[in-house]
């Protein structure tokens, strides 16, 4: 049986650098981590680790090339490396939305399919309004590929208690960050790849605040 994940209590306002360094080491060594965001808890790994991305896909039960992942960025400036055709009106909306509880679906750059060995032509991008994942991405030097943690409970839908997350996923991942209770509402998803913006999912982000 896989050893239990390391469990770290971190405070968003001042995450302890010693613990951040250990978590970064986990990511650099092809590990999976669970971490808080401004919406729900996420599970992810560094984008350049094929080993870790494959582990994440297996854990979520995704078929190869059919993964429904998003990328966590530190800020807007990183996104253009992994996405293309970000027209000025879209950029202005993203500038209002980030950091915040939104996911934008964009056309992926040629770099992304090579990294993921996937034919997908789109990518979801996030800049969460939460210091812990942004600190990790900033110090890692690359995005974290991420997906949400779902709960088996149909009413709760998303796991919010770090202790319960540890009980459920402790043998499946390498590190779990306790950043306090998570939200139970996911991000709002906006598809920017067509002629007009399409709201794929209404979540925590208020569309009226950014359009």
């Amino acid at each position: 049986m896989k050893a239990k994940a390391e469990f770290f209590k971190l405070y968003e306002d001042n995450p302890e650098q010693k613990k951040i360094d250990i978590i970064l080491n986990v990511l650099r060594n092809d590990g999976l981590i669970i971490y808080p965001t401004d919406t729900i808890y996420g599970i992810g790994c560094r984008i350049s680790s094929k080993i870790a991305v494959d582990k994440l896909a297996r854990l979520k039960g995704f078929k190869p090339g059919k993964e429904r992942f998003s990328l966590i960025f530190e800020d807007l400036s990183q996104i253009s490396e992994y996405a293309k055709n970000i027209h000025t009106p879209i950029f202005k909306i993203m500038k209002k939305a980030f950091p915040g509880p939104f996911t934008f679906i964009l056309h992926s750059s040629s770099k992304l399919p090579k990294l993921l060995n996937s034919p997908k032509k789109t990518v979801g991008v996030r800049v969460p309004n939460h210091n812990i994942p942004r600190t990790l991405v900033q110090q890692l030097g690359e995005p974290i590929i991420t997906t949400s943690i779902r709960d088996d409970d149909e009413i709760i839908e998303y796991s919010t208690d770090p202790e319960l997350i540890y009980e459920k996923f402790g043998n499946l991942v390498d590190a779990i960050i306790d950043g306090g209770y998570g939200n139970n509402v996911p991000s709002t998803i906006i598809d920017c790849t067509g002629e007009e913006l399409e709201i794929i999912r209404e979540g925590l982000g208020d569309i009226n605040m950014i359009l």
Side-chain angles (χ1 to χ4, degrees):
M1 180 182 282
K2 189 182 188 301
K4 277 278 190 181
E6 294 186 84
F7 191 73
F8 301 94
K9 176 69 178 176
L10 285 178
Y11 297 95
E12 181 183 1
D13 291 341
N14 188 26
E16 189 179 333
Q17 187 60 46
K18 187 176 179 182
K19 292 178 181 177
I20 290 287
D21 288 340
I22 297 170
I23 297 162
L24 289 171
N25 195 49
V26 168
L27 288 167
R28 289 175 181 133
N29 284 281
D30 308 317
L32 301 182
I33 69 167
I34 291 174
Y35 54 92
T37 73
D38 53 349
T39 55
I40 56 183
Y41 268 80
I43 176 170
C45 61
R46 66 187 176 97
I47 192 173
S48 60
S49 170
K50 187 175 187 316
I51 293 170
V53 172
D54 287 347
K55 283 195 289 188
L56 183 58
R58 286 196 301 270
L59 179 58
K60 294 290 288 188
F62 294 153
K63 293 178 181 178
K66 302 290 186 183
E67 298 91 346
R68 291 167 291 170
F69 296 141
S70 295
L71 301 184
I72 298 270
F73 293 91
E74 178 196 1
D75 54 35
L76 268 173
S77 64
Q78 262 189 327
I79 293 174
S80 60
E81 192 175 343
Y82 298 88
K84 63 180 181 180
N85 300 334
I86 306 175
H87 302 301
T88 302
I90 301 298
F91 183 83
K92 286 181 177 178
I93 292 170
M94 289 170 61
K95 196 171 181 182
K96 284 185 188 175
F98 290 150
F102 293 90
T103 300
F104 288 86
I105 311 279
L106 303 170
H107 294 286
S108 63
S109 71
S110 58
K111 181 174 185 176
L112 199 61
K114 289 173 187 172
L115 280 170
L116 301 182
N117 193 26
S118 166
K120 290 194 74 165
K121 299 289 199 312
T122 61
V123 60
V125 303
R126 282 213 67 200
V127 180
N129 188 21
H130 198 294
N131 192 37
I132 290 172
R134 292 210 318 271
T135 296
L136 289 172
V137 168
Q138 189 266 324
Q139 295 191 27
L140 189 64
E142 62 182 288
I144 291 174
I145 190 164
T146 188
T147 186
S148 59
I149 290 183
R150 286 191 172 272
D151 200 286
D152 296 330
D153 188 314
E154 291 181 4
I155 297 173
I156 297 174
E157 190 172 8
Y158 297 102
S159 301
T160 60
D161 184 339
E163 296 283 350
L164 295 179
I165 290 171
Y166 182 72
E167 284 181 25
K168 184 174 180 180
F169 292 93
N171 290 321
L172 300 173
V173 300
D174 303 285
I176 296 174
I177 299 171
D178 175 357
Y181 275 87
N183 210 311
N184 193 33
V185 182
S187 64
T188 293
I189 301 177
I190 305 171
D191 189 340
C192 304
T193 61
E195 291 292 320
E196 295 184 358
L197 298 182
E198 182 182 356
I199 311 304
I200 304 296
R201 179 180 71 194
E202 288 194 34
L204 195 62
D206 183 354
I207 298 296
N208 296 318
M209 299 291 288
I210 62 170
L211 296 180

